[in-house]
Amino acid sequence: MRIAVSGSIATDHLMTFPGRFTDQLIPDQLAHISLSFLVDDLEVRRGGVAANIAYGLGRLGLPPLLVGSVGLDFGPYEAWLKEHGVDTSAVRVSDTARTARFVCLTDQDSNQIAAFYAGAMSEAREIDLAAATAQDRPDLVLVCANDPAAMLRHTRQARELGVPFAADPSQQLARLTGEEATELVDGATWLFTNEYEAALLAERVGRTHEDILERVGTWVTTLGERGARIERAGESVLVVPAVPCGHVTDPTGAGDGFRAGFLAAVAASVLDTVGPQGYAADPDLLAARVRDVYGAAAAEELRPAFGRHG
């Protein structure tokens, strides 16, 4: 299966605060917040929604096509992605801007405060998806958080090409108008959100949850430690419990790992490591986790896929 992943490519700056954000907030001063957190460490990691998902797909044995815009500083990152099975031929390199930056602070309860600098990502709208996929037509286009104009363009082009597409607007929902969000979601074969994004999407497009569900194929909502909810119009809701992963080192990129795993195999390892691209798809570990949570029959059913994608 050939998947084109359109979205952000970034460098992540990840910091850890040993306390709780909530302990620093004064209820009657929330209109005048001025806080600075002394952090324990700084990890600089490869990131970006599309790159994270493409990395996961590559580790699971699929050769994804990464579609996004980067700066001239992308060289070492590109080499890393290529080493892990990602096709970067559709990545646009800016002559003037740096690769996007994601700066994130995580507290001891895994709450996060983050900022994102678009940089070269703002030029992703210049990428012609039709031209980028002319020689190797994808089976699915996954449109992730990106420059809003790029998200709209690549969704439209997927429709024009007659290629099924998946909508994953995630963090960009805050920047999209109701009309834009509607265009990104309508007709999607897959819609990915977390619980908050599901509520925000309904508010943004002015529709009920049920109305949105009628206009997509399958809606997948991640529920954190409770797993994921999978819905199709007219069918019973399926809630799949999360696979335990032991100690949670860093939640950054966990949703991206889930999307890669959902589309290609089973992914639960991203929570075990710092950053969104530090994990490996170990077939024995994945099989053991599935066996522990879902039973021996489920693990045996997926064993051929683990063997193929390890």
Side-chain angles (χ1 to χ4, degrees):
M1 184 179 184
R2 175 74 159 170
I3 300 177
V5 186
S6 167
S8 63
I9 304 168
T11 299
D12 291 351
H13 295 253
L14 309 176
M15 294 168 282
T16 303
F17 175 58
R20 293 182 171 89
F21 295 146
T22 53
D23 292 341
Q24 315 305 314
L25 300 175
I26 302 174
D28 61 356
Q29 294 295 315
L30 295 181
H32 309 283
I33 294 177
S34 178
L35 293 172
S36 177
F37 297 95
L38 181 63
V39 302
D40 284 349
D41 55 16
L42 168 65
E43 296 279 352
V44 180
R45 300 283 177 170
R46 308 170 188 91
V49 173
N52 292 342
I53 295 174
Y55 169 86
L57 291 170
R59 292 307 301 259
L60 290 167
L62 298 183
L65 176 68
L66 179 59
V67 182
S69 185
V70 299
L72 293 171
D73 53 343
F74 182 59
Y77 193 172
E78 181 177 28
W80 162 268
L81 290 170
K82 286 182 175 180
E83 288 172 6
H84 293 90
V86 179
D87 181 350
T88 62
S89 61
V91 172
R92 183 184 190 278
V93 180
S94 171
D95 293 327
T96 58
R98 284 184 167 272
T99 301
R101 293 290 187 275
F102 174 67
V103 181
C104 184
L105 179 60
T106 303
D107 75 359
Q108 67 181 45
D109 292 330
S110 293
N111 295 313
Q112 295 183 316
I113 297 174
F116 189 88
Y117 166 68
M121 190 185 79
S122 61
E123 300 177 22
R125 66 186 68 184
E126 304 298 328
I127 301 173
D128 185 342
L129 184 64
T133 60
Q135 299 302 315
D136 192 357
R137 180 186 176 92
D139 300 293
L140 178 74
V141 174
L142 176 58
V143 180
C144 309
N146 198 0
D147 170 68
M151 297 171 71
L152 291 166
R153 183 182 187 188
H154 296 161
T155 299
R156 291 167 185 157
Q157 290 187 312
R159 289 192 182 99
E160 292 166 359
L161 293 169
V163 176
F165 70 95
D168 183 18
S170 57
Q171 300 97 328
Q172 286 296 47
L173 278 173
R175 289 283 300 269
L176 298 172
T177 66
E179 183 178 345
E180 290 170 337
T182 298
E183 183 172 357
L184 291 175
V185 168
D186 276 3
T189 300
W190 301 97
L191 170 60
F192 292 98
T193 63
N194 61 30
E195 279 189 291
Y196 178 79
E197 292 160 357
L200 180 59
L201 176 62
E203 182 273 331
R204 192 55 46 92
V205 302
R207 295 176 182 164
T208 67
H209 187 93
E210 291 71 23
D211 289 339
I212 296 173
L213 194 58
E214 290 284 349
R215 306 174 77 98
V216 301
T218 301
W219 190 347
V220 181
T221 304
T222 54
L223 309 173
E225 68 278 3
R226 292 181 287 118
R229 182 175 65 237
I230 303 174
E231 301 172 272
R232 290 178 63 91
E235 298 183 14
S236 299
V237 176
L238 174 64
V239 176
V240 182
V243 177
C245 66
H247 177 65
V248 177
T249 302
D250 177 26
T252 306
D256 301 334
F258 170 84
R259 285 151 175 74
F262 186 91
L263 294 170
V266 174
S269 298
V270 70
L271 281 169
D272 284 339
T273 56
V274 175
Q277 296 181 30
Y279 63 94
D282 184 293
D284 292 332
L285 176 60
L286 291 172
R289 283 179 168 166
V290 170
R291 185 185 308 109
D292 291 343
V293 177
Y294 305 118
E300 287 304 315
E301 183 177 343
L302 289 172
R303 175 61 70 175
F306 291 146
R308 182 172 63 254
H309 300 312

